[in-house]
Amino acid sequence: QKEVEQNSGPLSVPEGAIASLNCTYSDRGSQSFFWYRQYSGKSPELIMSIYSNGDKEDGRFTAQLNKASQYVSLLIRDSQPSDSATYLCAVTNSGANSKLTFGKGITLSVRP
Amino acid sequence: GAVVSQHPSWVICKSGTSVKIECRSLDFQATTMFWYRQFPKQSLMLMATSNEGSKATYEQGVEKDKFLINHASLTLSTLTVTSAHPEDSSFYICSARKGGGATETQYFGPGTRLLVL
């Protein structure tokens, strides 16, 4: 069974700090990796996608992928109270019938 | 960009009636869309995969005769909750797949809140 695991939360960081979110996955056939942000009462919003080993930066967000270790992470620099949300790690393999497999999510709280 | 819309955003209906929810990809074509359901403080649950021009694929435990899915064009999928009951009250969210292969990405609609009285 394909599994995606995230650190159990919640995670609380002070404003301006770096928030580090981690995720591991069990299916070595996974090829696409995503971080979604979900505010309470809203639908998930794509924050980052990463498809190859290494780092990918977009503004204050950096995704890191290590396929050998089956590990993907998200760093949020200069955390803001508006970053407070649930962050979902998701992976998919390629193919016509590929589906997202989600982790349970981790709730981040950024303290002003 | 990749924008997915849903309509309506809110719906309240009486028990026993049917409700149709639309999911549209506004700036890209999507041969595959997905329907999810989320109860309060729970994880997203995939209900079905909607393929343009063919029958939807339902996840185990999801009644296909109760949740009718039609994907008649490359930008529109609909979910009809038939004979809705209070236990069907939930947050229904669609997503649309953009691209293919190793770089495909799913973009989510804003969701539809269904309340069945």
Side-chain angles (χ1 to χ4, degrees), chain B residues 12-89:
Chain B
I12 301 174
C13 69
K14 293 182 179 180
S15 184
T17 61
S18 295
V19 174
K20 179 185 283 188
I21 303 170
E22 292 185 350
C23 177
R24 294 182 185 271
S25 55
L26 298 185
D27 52 0
F28 66 100
Q29 294 183 333
T31 56
T32 303
M33 294 183 175
F34 302 86
W35 288 95
Y36 296 82
R37 181 167 57 179
Q38 188 173 37
F39 293 105
K41 300 202 182 296
Q42 293 190 21
S43 301
L44 284 168
M45 186 194 81
L46 178 65
M47 299 176 66
T49 301
S50 171
N51 297 297
E52 187 267 336
S54 64
K55 291 183 178 180
T57 303
Y58 291 82
E59 295 299 301
Q60 191 172 7
V62 178
E63 299 175 57
K64 63 180 182 180
D65 294 330
K66 180 170 183 61
F67 299 100
L68 301 179
I69 292 173
N70 185 19
H71 193 156
S73 78
L74 289 173
T75 59
L76 173 64
S77 175
T78 61
L79 169 69
T80 301
V81 183
T82 62
S83 186
H85 291 285
E87 58 265 29
D88 298 322
S89 299

Side-chain angles (χ1 to χ4, degrees), chain A residues 18-30:
Chain A
I18 296 175
S20 177
L21 312 178
N22 303 313
C23 174
T24 58
Y25 59 94
S26 62
D27 182 11
R28 284 198 173 273
S30 300

Side-chain angles (χ1 to χ4, degrees), chain A residues 48-90:
Chain A
M48 290 287 285
S49 59
I50 187 166
Y51 307 104
S52 57
N53 280 329
D55 295 359
K56 179 181 178 181
E57 185 175 321
D58 183 1
R60 296 186 295 111
F61 300 95
T62 299
Q64 299 174 317
L65 175 62
N66 184 325
K67 289 187 177 181
S69 301
Q70 296 175 241
Y71 174 88
V72 58
S73 68
L74 180 70
L75 298 177
I76 306 175
R77 291 182 300 281
D78 187 24
S79 295
Q80 301 296 309
S82 59
D83 295 326
S84 299
T86 297
Y87 289 81
L88 302 169
C89 174

